Amino acid sequence: MSYVGPDFDPQPPRRPRRRPLTVALVALVPGALLGWGAYAAFGGSDDGGGSSDKAAVGTPTASARSTDPERPSETPTEPTTSPSESTAPSPSGPLAGKVVVIDPGHNPGNFQHTAEINRKVDIGTAMKECDTTGTATNSGYREADFTLDVAHRMRTLLEKQGATVELTHDGDRSYGPCIDERARIGNKAEADAVVSLHADGAGSGNRGFHVILPGAVNSGAADTRPIVAPSKNLGERIAGAFVRVTGSAPSNYVGDGTGLVTRKDLGGLNLSTAPKVFIECGNMRDSKDAAQLTSEAWRQKAAQGISEGIAGFLEK
């Protein structure tokens, strides 16, 4: 994936949070990921999140479309409402009072706005492009369509548990938002957790998911030091739940088999004042991963796994 965003506003004072997860719970992910080392068949990220083989800005795949004609017709395993429908948060759910911001990486219209998304924005440590087009499967299923679909499914699941859910975009704008604006949306919402959704564009044979955590940055408008520890907690819980629900293995090409990667070059993380992670749900350029990413049933599992990880973090 590739991720980038515009003007950073200082964050208003945040409401107090509960104390970080105890050391005992931090052991959750290593246990959840145990045994995947043998999954040798499985195989990073720009501010879209991912690896170097992202689709070139302004040059979408010729066959790019929102559905993949090569996948069989499937029935989603969960939503009782349409994935794109938002339901009122349950006032008595376990996540009542919690705010979650979901950031669907990229935008299907980015390729039509190359000048706008190539504009540089300040991410604290450097100047970076506003956004990118993202990647796509070899048959044309776009990352931007994937991320928006999973975001809708997550919103339904989290609202049923009482959370207030906000998306950084909902297919309601022609391009973007830029990476700095995406961070600002989570900050202004005073989110309890923010997750940026992506799928990678690495070489064939590279498989599996990875969660990107913010490194400690203190430069210009960026100061991630207060969110490093809670973001790691959030990322570990998401990784553990993602393995359990989807059956996917951690990446075989980054993260040393842990499914966790720390980075300091992503504006969406650098400019966040709320606990935030990115997740690369798989590699669109690998045929086996692509078969999962284009499956409605698997996307529902992905949404459930990420949502369960968020819920575990918020309920601590």
Short mmCIF file of all heavy atoms in Angstrom, two decimals, residues 253-300:
data_model
loop_
_atom_site.label_atom_id
_atom_site.label_comp_id
_atom_site.label_asym_id
_atom_site.label_seq_id
_atom_site.Cartn_x
_atom_site.Cartn_y
_atom_site.Cartn_z
N TYR A 253 8.07 -11.79 4.55
CA TYR A 253 9.08 -10.93 3.94
C TYR A 253 9.44 -9.70 4.75
O TYR A 253 10.43 -9.03 4.47
CB TYR A 253 8.67 -10.53 2.52
CG TYR A 253 7.35 -9.80 2.40
CD1 TYR A 253 7.31 -8.41 2.22
CD2 TYR A 253 6.15 -10.49 2.42
CE1 TYR A 253 6.10 -7.74 2.09
CE2 TYR A 253 4.94 -9.83 2.29
CZ TYR A 253 4.92 -8.46 2.12
OH TYR A 253 3.72 -7.80 1.99
N VAL A 254 8.66 -9.38 5.78
CA VAL A 254 9.02 -8.32 6.73
C VAL A 254 8.53 -8.75 8.11
O VAL A 254 7.61 -9.56 8.23
CB VAL A 254 8.38 -6.95 6.38
CG1 VAL A 254 8.94 -6.38 5.09
CG2 VAL A 254 6.86 -7.07 6.28
N GLY A 255 9.17 -8.23 9.16
CA GLY A 255 8.70 -8.49 10.51
C GLY A 255 9.26 -9.73 11.18
O GLY A 255 8.89 -10.04 12.31
N ASP A 256 10.15 -10.46 10.49
CA ASP A 256 10.79 -11.64 11.09
C ASP A 256 9.78 -12.64 11.67
O ASP A 256 10.00 -13.23 12.73
CB ASP A 256 11.77 -11.22 12.20
CG ASP A 256 12.92 -10.38 11.66
OD1 ASP A 256 13.39 -10.67 10.54
OD2 ASP A 256 13.34 -9.43 12.34
N GLY A 257 8.66 -12.79 10.98
CA GLY A 257 7.68 -13.78 11.40
C GLY A 257 6.76 -13.34 12.52
O GLY A 257 5.88 -14.09 12.93
N THR A 258 6.93 -12.11 13.02
CA THR A 258 6.09 -11.64 14.13
C THR A 258 4.80 -10.99 13.65
O THR A 258 3.85 -10.84 14.42
CB THR A 258 6.84 -10.60 14.97
OG1 THR A 258 7.07 -9.41 14.17
CG2 THR A 258 8.18 -11.15 15.45
N GLY A 259 4.76 -10.54 12.39
CA GLY A 259 3.61 -9.80 11.89
C GLY A 259 3.61 -8.36 12.34
O GLY A 259 2.64 -7.64 12.11
N LEU A 260 4.70 -7.91 12.97
CA LEU A 260 4.79 -6.54 13.49
C LEU A 260 6.02 -5.85 12.92
O LEU A 260 7.12 -6.41 12.88
CB LEU A 260 4.89 -6.55 15.02
CG LEU A 260 3.73 -7.23 15.77
CD1 LEU A 260 4.06 -7.32 17.26
CD2 LEU A 260 2.43 -6.46 15.56
N VAL A 261 5.84 -4.61 12.47
CA VAL A 261 6.92 -3.81 11.90
C VAL A 261 6.81 -2.40 12.48
O VAL A 261 5.70 -1.86 12.58
CB VAL A 261 6.82 -3.74 10.36
CG1 VAL A 261 7.91 -2.85 9.78
CG2 VAL A 261 6.89 -5.13 9.75
N THR A 262 7.93 -1.80 12.85
CA THR A 262 7.93 -0.43 13.36
C THR A 262 8.54 0.50 12.32
O THR A 262 9.58 0.20 11.75
CB THR A 262 8.75 -0.33 14.67
OG1 THR A 262 8.15 -1.17 15.65
CG2 THR A 262 8.78 1.10 15.18
N ARG A 263 7.86 1.63 12.06
CA ARG A 263 8.34 2.59 11.05
C ARG A 263 8.19 4.02 11.54
O ARG A 263 7.32 4.33 12.34
CB ARG A 263 7.58 2.39 9.73
CG ARG A 263 7.92 1.07 9.06
CD ARG A 263 7.19 0.86 7.76
NE ARG A 263 7.44 1.92 6.80
CZ ARG A 263 7.04 1.88 5.53
NH1 ARG A 263 6.39 0.81 5.10
NH2 ARG A 263 7.29 2.87 4.71
N LYS A 264 9.08 4.88 11.00
CA LYS A 264 9.08 6.29 11.37
C LYS A 264 8.87 7.20 10.16
O LYS A 264 8.99 8.42 10.28
CB LYS A 264 10.41 6.67 12.04
CG LYS A 264 10.71 5.90 13.31
CD LYS A 264 12.04 6.37 13.91
CE LYS A 264 12.37 5.63 15.20
NZ LYS A 264 13.66 6.09 15.78
N ASP A 265 8.52 6.62 9.01
CA ASP A 265 8.43 7.39 7.78
C ASP A 265 7.01 7.53 7.24
O ASP A 265 6.82 7.96 6.10
CB ASP A 265 9.30 6.75 6.70
CG ASP A 265 8.84 5.33 6.34
OD1 ASP A 265 8.33 4.63 7.24
OD2 ASP A 265 8.99 4.94 5.17
N LEU A 266 6.02 7.20 8.04
CA LEU A 266 4.63 7.26 7.58
C LEU A 266 3.93 8.45 8.24
O LEU A 266 3.78 8.50 9.46
CB LEU A 266 3.88 5.97 7.91
CG LEU A 266 4.48 4.69 7.30
CD1 LEU A 266 3.65 3.48 7.69
CD2 LEU A 266 4.57 4.81 5.79
N GLY A 267 3.48 9.39 7.40
CA GLY A 267 2.83 10.58 7.92
C GLY A 267 1.58 10.27 8.72
O GLY A 267 1.27 10.95 9.70
N GLY A 268 0.85 9.24 8.31
CA GLY A 268 -0.37 8.90 9.02
C GLY A 268 -0.12 8.47 10.45
O GLY A 268 -0.98 8.62 11.32
N LEU A 269 1.08 7.94 10.72
CA LEU A 269 1.47 7.58 12.09
C LEU A 269 2.19 8.74 12.77
O LEU A 269 1.91 9.07 13.93
CB LEU A 269 2.38 6.34 12.08
CG LEU A 269 1.76 5.04 11.59
CD1 LEU A 269 2.80 3.91 11.64
CD2 LEU A 269 0.54 4.65 12.40
N ASN A 270 3.11 9.37 12.06
CA ASN A 270 3.91 10.44 12.66
C ASN A 270 3.07 11.57 13.21
O ASN A 270 3.41 12.17 14.23
CB ASN A 270 4.88 11.01 11.62
CG ASN A 270 6.03 10.08 11.31
OD1 ASN A 270 6.11 8.97 11.86
ND2 ASN A 270 6.92 10.50 10.43
N LEU A 271 1.97 11.90 12.54
CA LEU A 271 1.17 13.06 12.92
C LEU A 271 -0.01 12.71 13.81
O LEU A 271 -0.80 13.58 14.17
CB LEU A 271 0.67 13.78 11.66
CG LEU A 271 1.77 14.29 10.72
CD1 LEU A 271 1.16 14.91 9.47
CD2 LEU A 271 2.67 15.29 11.42
N SER A 272 -0.13 11.45 14.18
CA SER A 272 -1.26 11.04 15.01
C SER A 272 -0.99 11.33 16.48
O SER A 272 0.11 11.13 16.98
CB SER A 272 -1.53 9.54 14.83
OG SER A 272 -2.63 9.13 15.62
N THR A 273 -2.01 11.80 17.17
CA THR A 273 -1.94 11.95 18.63
C THR A 273 -2.81 10.90 19.32
O THR A 273 -2.92 10.92 20.55
CB THR A 273 -2.39 13.36 19.05
OG1 THR A 273 -3.72 13.59 18.59
CG2 THR A 273 -1.47 14.42 18.47
N ALA A 274 -3.42 10.03 18.56
CA ALA A 274 -4.23 8.93 19.09
C ALA A 274 -3.49 7.62 18.80
O ALA A 274 -2.75 7.52 17.82
CB ALA A 274 -5.59 8.90 18.42
N PRO A 275 -3.68 6.59 19.62
CA PRO A 275 -3.07 5.29 19.33
C PRO A 275 -3.48 4.82 17.93
O PRO A 275 -4.67 4.78 17.60
CB PRO A 275 -3.65 4.37 20.41
CG PRO A 275 -3.98 5.29 21.54
CD PRO A 275 -4.45 6.56 20.89
N LYS A 276 -2.49 4.48 17.11
CA LYS A 276 -2.79 4.20 15.70
C LYS A 276 -1.82 3.18 15.14
O LYS A 276 -0.63 3.19 15.47
CB LYS A 276 -2.72 5.49 14.88
CG LYS A 276 -3.08 5.30 13.39
CD LYS A 276 -3.13 6.63 12.67
CE LYS A 276 -3.54 6.45 11.21
NZ LYS A 276 -3.66 7.74 10.49
N VAL A 277 -2.33 2.31 14.26
CA VAL A 277 -1.50 1.37 13.52
C VAL A 277 -2.01 1.28 12.09
O VAL A 277 -3.13 1.67 11.79
CB VAL A 277 -1.52 -0.04 14.15
CG1 VAL A 277 -0.98 0.00 15.58
CG2 VAL A 277 -2.92 -0.66 14.11
N PHE A 278 -1.16 0.76 11.22
CA PHE A 278 -1.54 0.37 9.87
C PHE A 278 -1.59 -1.15 9.84
O PHE A 278 -0.84 -1.81 10.56
CB PHE A 278 -0.48 0.79 8.85
CG PHE A 278 -0.48 2.24 8.45
CD1 PHE A 278 -0.74 3.24 9.36
CD2 PHE A 278 -0.18 2.59 7.15
CE1 PHE A 278 -0.71 4.58 8.99
CE2 PHE A 278 -0.15 3.91 6.76
CZ PHE A 278 -0.42 4.91 7.67
N ILE A 279 -2.45 -1.71 9.00
CA ILE A 279 -2.38 -3.15 8.74
C ILE A 279 -2.38 -3.40 7.24
O ILE A 279 -3.23 -2.87 6.51
CB ILE A 279 -3.52 -3.94 9.42
CG1 ILE A 279 -3.37 -5.44 9.11
CG2 ILE A 279 -4.89 -3.41 9.04
CD1 ILE A 279 -4.24 -6.36 9.95
N GLU A 280 -1.36 -4.14 6.79
CA GLU A 280 -1.30 -4.66 5.42
C GLU A 280 -1.90 -6.05 5.48
O GLU A 280 -1.31 -6.99 6.02
CB GLU A 280 0.15 -4.72 4.94
CG GLU A 280 0.85 -3.38 4.86
CD GLU A 280 0.54 -2.62 3.59
OE1 GLU A 280 -0.27 -3.12 2.78
OE2 GLU A 280 1.08 -1.52 3.41
N CYS A 281 -3.11 -6.20 4.95
CA CYS A 281 -3.87 -7.44 5.15
C CYS A 281 -3.37 -8.61 4.32
O CYS A 281 -3.76 -9.76 4.57
CB CYS A 281 -5.34 -7.19 4.85
SG CYS A 281 -6.13 -6.01 5.99
N GLY A 282 -2.52 -8.35 3.36
CA GLY A 282 -1.99 -9.40 2.49
C GLY A 282 -1.31 -8.74 1.31
O GLY A 282 -1.27 -7.51 1.20
N ASN A 283 -0.78 -9.54 0.40
CA ASN A 283 -0.06 -9.04 -0.76
C ASN A 283 -0.90 -9.24 -2.03
O ASN A 283 -1.10 -10.38 -2.46
CB ASN A 283 1.29 -9.74 -0.90
CG ASN A 283 2.03 -9.30 -2.16
OD1 ASN A 283 1.77 -8.23 -2.71
ND2 ASN A 283 2.96 -10.11 -2.60
N MET A 284 -1.36 -8.16 -2.61
CA MET A 284 -2.23 -8.24 -3.79
C MET A 284 -1.52 -8.82 -5.01
O MET A 284 -2.19 -9.29 -5.93
CB MET A 284 -2.78 -6.86 -4.11
CG MET A 284 -3.85 -6.40 -3.14
SD MET A 284 -4.81 -5.02 -3.79
CE MET A 284 -6.47 -5.49 -3.24
N ARG A 285 -0.19 -8.78 -5.03
CA ARG A 285 0.54 -9.26 -6.20
C ARG A 285 0.87 -10.75 -6.13
O ARG A 285 1.46 -11.30 -7.06
CB ARG A 285 1.82 -8.45 -6.37
CG ARG A 285 1.58 -6.98 -6.67
CD ARG A 285 0.88 -6.80 -7.99
NE ARG A 285 0.78 -5.39 -8.37
CZ ARG A 285 0.28 -4.95 -9.50
NH1 ARG A 285 -0.17 -5.82 -10.39
NH2 ARG A 285 0.21 -3.65 -9.76
N ASP A 286 0.52 -11.39 -5.04
CA ASP A 286 0.70 -12.83 -4.94
C ASP A 286 -0.65 -13.50 -5.21
O ASP A 286 -1.67 -13.12 -4.62
CB ASP A 286 1.20 -13.21 -3.55
CG ASP A 286 1.34 -14.71 -3.39
OD1 ASP A 286 2.36 -15.26 -3.81
OD2 ASP A 286 0.39 -15.33 -2.84
N SER A 287 -0.68 -14.51 -6.05
CA SER A 287 -1.96 -15.07 -6.48
C SER A 287 -2.73 -15.71 -5.32
O SER A 287 -3.96 -15.62 -5.27
CB SER A 287 -1.74 -16.12 -7.59
OG SER A 287 -0.91 -17.18 -7.12
N LYS A 288 -2.03 -16.33 -4.37
CA LYS A 288 -2.73 -16.97 -3.25
C LYS A 288 -3.31 -15.94 -2.30
O LYS A 288 -4.45 -16.06 -1.85
CB LYS A 288 -1.78 -17.92 -2.53
CG LYS A 288 -1.38 -19.13 -3.37
CD LYS A 288 -0.45 -20.07 -2.61
CE LYS A 288 -0.08 -21.26 -3.46
NZ LYS A 288 0.85 -22.18 -2.75
N ASP A 289 -2.54 -14.91 -2.00
CA ASP A 289 -3.07 -13.84 -1.16
C ASP A 289 -4.20 -13.11 -1.88
O ASP A 289 -5.21 -12.74 -1.27
CB ASP A 289 -1.97 -12.84 -0.79
CG ASP A 289 -1.23 -13.22 0.49
OD1 ASP A 289 -1.40 -14.37 0.95
OD2 ASP A 289 -0.47 -12.38 1.01
N ALA A 290 -4.03 -12.89 -3.18
CA ALA A 290 -5.06 -12.18 -3.95
C ALA A 290 -6.38 -12.94 -3.93
O ALA A 290 -7.45 -12.33 -3.88
CB ALA A 290 -4.59 -11.97 -5.39
N ALA A 291 -6.32 -14.26 -3.94
CA ALA A 291 -7.55 -15.06 -3.89
C ALA A 291 -8.31 -14.81 -2.60
O ALA A 291 -9.55 -14.82 -2.57
CB ALA A 291 -7.22 -16.54 -4.03
N GLN A 292 -7.59 -14.56 -1.51
CA GLN A 292 -8.24 -14.23 -0.25
C GLN A 292 -8.78 -12.80 -0.28
O GLN A 292 -9.94 -12.55 0.08
CB GLN A 292 -7.26 -14.38 0.91
CG GLN A 292 -6.78 -15.80 1.13
CD GLN A 292 -5.82 -15.90 2.30
OE1 GLN A 292 -5.07 -14.97 2.60
NE2 GLN A 292 -5.83 -17.03 2.98
N LEU A 293 -7.96 -11.87 -0.70
CA LEU A 293 -8.33 -10.46 -0.66
C LEU A 293 -9.55 -10.16 -1.53
O LEU A 293 -10.32 -9.23 -1.24
CB LEU A 293 -7.15 -9.59 -1.11
CG LEU A 293 -5.91 -9.65 -0.20
CD1 LEU A 293 -4.71 -9.05 -0.91
CD2 LEU A 293 -6.16 -8.94 1.11
N THR A 294 -9.75 -10.94 -2.58
CA THR A 294 -10.90 -10.73 -3.47
C THR A 294 -12.14 -11.52 -3.04
O THR A 294 -13.17 -11.46 -3.70
CB THR A 294 -10.55 -11.10 -4.92
OG1 THR A 294 -10.04 -12.43 -4.97
CG2 THR A 294 -9.50 -10.15 -5.48
N SER A 295 -12.03 -12.25 -1.95
CA SER A 295 -13.14 -13.05 -1.46
C SER A 295 -13.97 -12.26 -0.44
O SER A 295 -13.43 -11.78 0.56
CB SER A 295 -12.60 -14.33 -0.79
OG SER A 295 -13.55 -14.91 0.07
N GLU A 296 -15.27 -12.17 -0.67
CA GLU A 296 -16.14 -11.47 0.29
C GLU A 296 -16.11 -12.14 1.65
O GLU A 296 -16.09 -11.48 2.69
CB GLU A 296 -17.58 -11.43 -0.24
CG GLU A 296 -17.80 -10.45 -1.37
CD GLU A 296 -19.29 -10.30 -1.65
OE1 GLU A 296 -20.03 -9.90 -0.73
OE2 GLU A 296 -19.70 -10.58 -2.79
N ALA A 297 -16.14 -13.46 1.65
CA ALA A 297 -16.14 -14.20 2.91
C ALA A 297 -14.86 -13.92 3.69
O ALA A 297 -14.89 -13.72 4.92
CB ALA A 297 -16.30 -15.69 2.66
N TRP A 298 -13.72 -13.89 3.00
CA TRP A 298 -12.45 -13.62 3.69
C TRP A 298 -12.39 -12.17 4.17
O TRP A 298 -11.89 -11.91 5.26
CB TRP A 298 -11.27 -13.93 2.78
CG TRP A 298 -9.96 -13.89 3.53
CD1 TRP A 298 -9.36 -14.92 4.18
CD2 TRP A 298 -9.12 -12.74 3.72
NE1 TRP A 298 -8.19 -14.49 4.77
CE2 TRP A 298 -8.01 -13.16 4.51
CE3 TRP A 298 -9.19 -11.42 3.31
CZ2 TRP A 298 -6.99 -12.30 4.88
CZ3 TRP A 298 -8.17 -10.54 3.69
CH2 TRP A 298 -7.08 -10.99 4.47
N ARG A 299 -12.90 -11.24 3.37
CA ARG A 299 -12.89 -9.84 3.80
C ARG A 299 -13.72 -9.65 5.07
O ARG A 299 -13.40 -8.83 5.92
CB ARG A 299 -13.39 -8.92 2.68
CG ARG A 299 -12.43 -8.84 1.50
CD ARG A 299 -12.71 -7.63 0.62
NE ARG A 299 -14.02 -7.63 0.01
CZ ARG A 299 -14.32 -8.20 -1.14
NH1 ARG A 299 -13.39 -8.87 -1.82
NH2 ARG A 299 -15.54 -8.12 -1.64
N GLN A 300 -14.81 -10.42 5.19
CA GLN A 300 -15.59 -10.36 6.41
C GLN A 300 -14.77 -10.87 7.60
O GLN A 300 -14.82 -10.29 8.69
CB GLN A 300 -16.87 -11.17 6.27
CG GLN A 300 -17.81 -11.06 7.45
CD GLN A 300 -18.30 -9.64 7.68
OE1 GLN A 300 -18.50 -8.88 6.73
NE2 GLN A 300 -18.51 -9.26 8.94
#
